[in-house]
Every structure is written in C-alpha cells, then in structure tokens.
C-alpha cells in the first residue's frame, strides 16, 4: 500500500444534486498536486440518491472511499467518522456543497509543509447566504468567544487541514455532543488562517435548518463554557439584594404608617411570576447540561456504520475510535 499524503473528508447529507460536481472539482485539484490522496465521502443517512451516486463514483475510482452511516447522525459526527478512517498525513475537511472552494486546498498544504499543524479557512466574505444566517453566525461566533476560555477563531467553519498528530489527538476526545472546531482549538497546536471567500451553495438547499443550528450553537457553548450555569448565581445575588432592599422599604412604610398593608396584590403576583420565570429558565439551563452528562454516561458509540467501500482490510466497521 502506498502511503497516503492527503485525505479529504466530505460529509454528505441529501447531496444528490452536488456530489458528482464536487467529486470532479476535488479530483481536478487533487490530481494537479502530484501526491497520493484519498477522498472519503461520509454519507450521513441521506434519503435521496446520494448513496447510489457515491457507490458509482467508488466503482470507477479507487482513490474514493465511502463510509455509509446507518442513519443521520449529524454533520459533526460525520466529520468525526471521516477523520477516524482517514489515513493521510494531512486530513482536510470540506463541505460537499462547494461553498468551501477546493482550490484553497493546495494553499493549505503549502502552509502545512511550512510546519503548521492546523490550517483553517477563514471566511472573509460569505456569498449567497441569507441575511439571517450571516447575522446569527456573526453574533454566535462572537458570543461564543466571550463565553469560553479557549480561543476559537471567529468566522471559521470546519473547512480546515489538520496534521496526522492532531487527528490522532482528536480520536482520544470522546465527547458525544461535539463541536469539532472548538475541540481542535482546545487541543492547541500551531495554527494559521487561510482567508477565502465563502461561495454560494452550488445546488440544493441548506441541510442546516434553524433547529440544527440551535443544537449546534448550544453544543458549542455548553461544551466549552460553564458560564450559563453561573447565571443562577448572578440572578440569585441580584434578586436577594433587591428583595432585601424592598423589605427595608416595606418595614419603613409600615412603621410610619405611610401605607395600609392590604393593597399590593398586583405587585405580589408580578414578583411571583418573575421569580418563577427565572427559576424555570435556570432549571432549563441546568437540564441542558444534565442531558449532556447523561449522553456521556450512556457512552453509546458516536456513530454506526452500515458499509465501508474501498477501504483496505485493516479498517473494519467496528474500527476503534
Ligand atoms: N451535513 C451532514 N449532516 C447533516 C447536515 C449537513 O453531513 O445532518 C453536511 C452537508 O451535506 C454539507 C455540510 O454538512 O456537506 C454542511 O451543510 P450545509 O452546506 O447544508 O450547511 P450550511 O453551509 O448551510 O451551514
Ligand atoms: Mg453549505
């Protein structure tokens, strides 16, 4: 077996409209580099013809490998599986919809040869995305940075190159609700940005509806910050102080008979509702953390593979993470 220099991991979920074009563009770029490479498509439980199309590609090109999940496990998990099964000295992760231009890969490899272990694509401009997506993404990356202690570069996606040692280190991180870019930053290593313009999705629609975006954002914040939990303490301090002040005022009013005590029903109800709201909010936040602790405790495998195509025998479906 020839040593593979570069692995390219491509998660695909209902990407029948783009997979062939993506394959061609990636192949053109990789063939032009004169290195041994593999492209790993990870099918994250697509319901369209993505699987058949990928099988077809694999039949004609042995550089293309295919991991077929038993169902949809999510983008971050698909990337993880691709990295687990990649054998290159460098591993590149790229979206299937050509929003991350494959032509940036040679530049990433260049930086890697210069000695950087992580080369991440930084979006200087996002094209063809909705105003809502751009604004929420901007707010999200900046809030995340304020909440966490790990320096996670802003405006970067999962489009990046990592060295073999980073990939191996990543395999030891066994978290269930993963936020991979955060974990890579947490691992450390020497990293550098390569700026690129994020293009329009080539075809099809986004596979990240609002619900998935929210799950993604909460995974990111909760796995990298305890600050939301501290909210309870802050609210607690503030409210005890406020109630104490109010108590003093009430006593003074009573002692000097400034008001009768019977009125005040409205304020009691208002305060009650306010406190109940806060308590529920805090319980919800705590619940989010507990849910994730539960996921860790169950310790189920991260993903289940139905089939592997074009991998050599050393890689099995139940391969070690
Ligand atoms: N994706 C996936 N599983 C999912 C959702 C998305 O593997 O559950 C893949 C998708 O096929 C694409 C990449 O993740 O290659 C990024 O998704 P998309 O382009 O839809 O996200 P956006 O660019 O809109 O944030
Ligand atoms: Mg996209």
């Amino acid at each position: 077996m020839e040593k593979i220099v570069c692995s390219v991991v491509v998660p695909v979920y209902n990407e029948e409209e783009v997979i062939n074009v993506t394959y061609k563009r990636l192949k053109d770029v990789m063939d032009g580099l004169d290195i041994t490479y593999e492209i790993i498509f990870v099918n994250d439980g697509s319901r369209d013809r993505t699987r058949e199309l990928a099988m077809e590609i694999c039949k004609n090109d042995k550089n293309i490998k295919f991991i077929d999940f038993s169902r949809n496990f999510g983008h971050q998990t698909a990337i993880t599986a691709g990295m687990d099964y990649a054998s290159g000295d460098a591993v590149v992760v790229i979206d299937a919809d050509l929003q991350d231009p494959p032509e940036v890969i040679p530049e990433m490899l260049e930086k890697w040869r210069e000695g950087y272990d992580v080369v991440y694509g930084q979006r200087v401009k996002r094209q063809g995305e909705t105003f809502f997506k751009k604004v929420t993404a901007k707010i999200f990356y900046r809030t995340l940075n304020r909440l966490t202690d790990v320096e996670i570069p802003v405006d970067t996606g999962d489009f990046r190159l990592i060295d073999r040692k980073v990939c191996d280190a990543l395999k030891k991180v066994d978290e269930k609700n993963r936020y991979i870019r955060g974990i890579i930053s947490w691992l450390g290593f020497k990293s550098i940005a390569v700026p690129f313009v994020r293009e329009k999705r080539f075809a099809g629609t986004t596979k990240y509806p609002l619900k998935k975006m929210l799950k993604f954002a909460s995974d990111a914040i909760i796995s990298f910050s305890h600050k939301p939990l501290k909210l309870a303490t802050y609210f607690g301090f503030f409210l005890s102080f406020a109630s104490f002040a109010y108590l003093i005022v009430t006593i003074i009013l009573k002692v000097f008979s400034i008001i009768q005590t019977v009125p005040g029903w409205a304020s009691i109800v208002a305060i009650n509702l306010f406190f109940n709201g806060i308590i529920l909010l805090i319980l919800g936040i705590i619940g989010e953390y507990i849910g994730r602790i539960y996921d860790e405790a169950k310790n189920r495998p991260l993903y289940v593979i139905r089939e592997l195509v074009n991998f050599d025998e050393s890689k099995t479906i139940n391969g070690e993470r």
Side-chain angles (χ1 to χ4, degrees):
M1 258 318 266
E2 229 178 334
K3 183 100 195 66
I4 290 169
V5 178
C6 182
S7 305
V8 182
V9 172
V10 193
V12 281
Y13 176 55
N14 295 343
E15 301 286 8
E16 61 179 6
E17 287 166 279
V18 298
I19 187 164
N20 278 320
V21 185
T22 307
Y23 160 64
K24 288 205 186 74
R25 247 176 84 184
L26 270 172
K27 184 177 160 56
D28 279 349
V29 171
M30 298 313 286
D31 281 344
L33 283 169
D34 202 27
I35 52 170
T36 51
Y37 70 89
E38 62 179 0
I39 298 174
I40 305 176
F41 284 106
V42 186
N43 178 25
D44 188 13
S46 301
R47 292 163 201 273
D48 62 358
R49 292 183 53 247
T50 305
R51 176 187 148 89
E52 287 73 41
L53 295 173
M55 289 292 206
E56 196 60 36
I57 296 171
C58 286
K59 221 176 358 175
N60 302 320
D61 187 345
K62 296 297 167 207
N63 287 333
I64 312 304
K65 297 173 182 174
F66 184 52
I67 301 175
D68 195 22
F69 277 1
S70 61
R71 64 167 171 87
N72 180 257
F73 281 92
H75 176 215
Q76 299 289 301
T77 312
I79 294 176
T80 308
M83 287 175 170
D84 289 346
Y85 280 84
S87 34
D89 293 331
V91 180
V92 176
V93 176
I94 189 166
D95 279 359
D97 58 0
L98 296 170
Q99 281 196 289
D100 310 328
E103 290 71 25
V104 179
I105 297 176
E107 210 181 315
M108 289 181 161
L109 282 161
E110 201 63 42
K111 294 277 181 230
W112 172 63
R113 291 209 176 87
E114 283 171 23
Y116 291 97
D117 298 315
V118 179
V119 187
Y120 52 87
Q122 191 153 34
R123 304 154 177 172
V124 284
K125 209 166 147 200
R126 298 172 79 117
Q127 281 173 352
E129 286 181 302
T130 58
F131 175 72
F132 177 73
K133 178 107 183 181
K134 285 189 213 171
V135 171
T136 47
K138 267 236 141 51
I139 297 174
F140 166 67
Y141 288 117
R142 277 144 192 87
T143 316
L144 182 65
N145 245 356
R146 295 189 61 160
L147 287 178
T148 57
D149 306 326
V150 184
E151 186 90 9
I152 302 171
V154 295
D155 301 331
T156 63
D158 286 304
F159 182 32
R160 62 186 62 213
L161 176 150
I162 60 173
D163 183 74
R164 165 82 358 225
K165 39 180 189 292
V166 184
C167 194
D168 288 342
L170 199 64
K171 282 189 200 171
K172 298 210 181 90
V173 180
D174 212 14
E175 272 171 50
K176 304 297 174 210
N177 298 288
R178 305 163 78 81
Y179 179 62
I180 293 179
R181 345 181 165 160
I183 301 174
I184 293 179
S185 302
W186 178 87
L187 288 171
F189 291 103
K190 200 169 153 196
S191 44
I192 191 168
V194 170
F196 75 100
V197 175
R198 184 149 164 100
E199 284 164 29
K200 209 162 95 208
R201 190 176 233 286
F202 174 74
T205 49
T206 177
K207 306 297 177 299
Y208 259 97
L210 187 62
K211 195 169 148 222
K212 276 192 183 167
M213 270 165 68
L214 288 175
K215 160 89 171 79
F216 178 75
S218 57
D219 278 346
I221 292 175
I222 291 176
S223 15
F224 284 93
S225 174
H226 289 165
K227 285 191 187 143
L229 282 175
K230 295 200 182 126
L231 220 59
T233 323
Y234 298 145
F235 272 132
F237 267 122
F238 172 72
L239 288 173
S240 334
F241 182 76
S243 354
F244 186 70
Y246 188 62
L247 184 74
I248 306 263
V249 173
T250 318
I251 291 170
I252 293 172
L253 291 179
K254 170 80 182 155
V255 168
F256 295 99
S257 303
I258 299 170
I259 52 158
Q260 301 294 323
T261 41
V262 180
W265 182 84
S267 61
I268 288 173
V269 170
I271 289 168
N272 231 323
L273 289 177
F274 180 65
F275 275 91
N276 284 338
I278 287 184
I279 290 168
L280 286 178
L281 174 82
I282 304 286
L283 273 180
I285 293 175
I286 296 174
E288 288 283 323
Y289 281 84
I290 294 180
R292 282 161 176 78
I293 296 171
Y294 186 44
D295 283 341
E296 298 296 332
K298 280 186 290 190
N299 203 21
R300 292 189 182 149
L302 267 178
Y303 49 81
V304 179
I305 295 176
R306 175 158 64 153
E307 193 175 3
L308 289 174
V309 183
N310 283 353
F311 283 94
D312 63 57
E313 304 81 51
S314 65
K315 311 262 190 207
T316 58
I317 285 182
N318 300 313
E320 266 183 45
R321 274 222 65 237

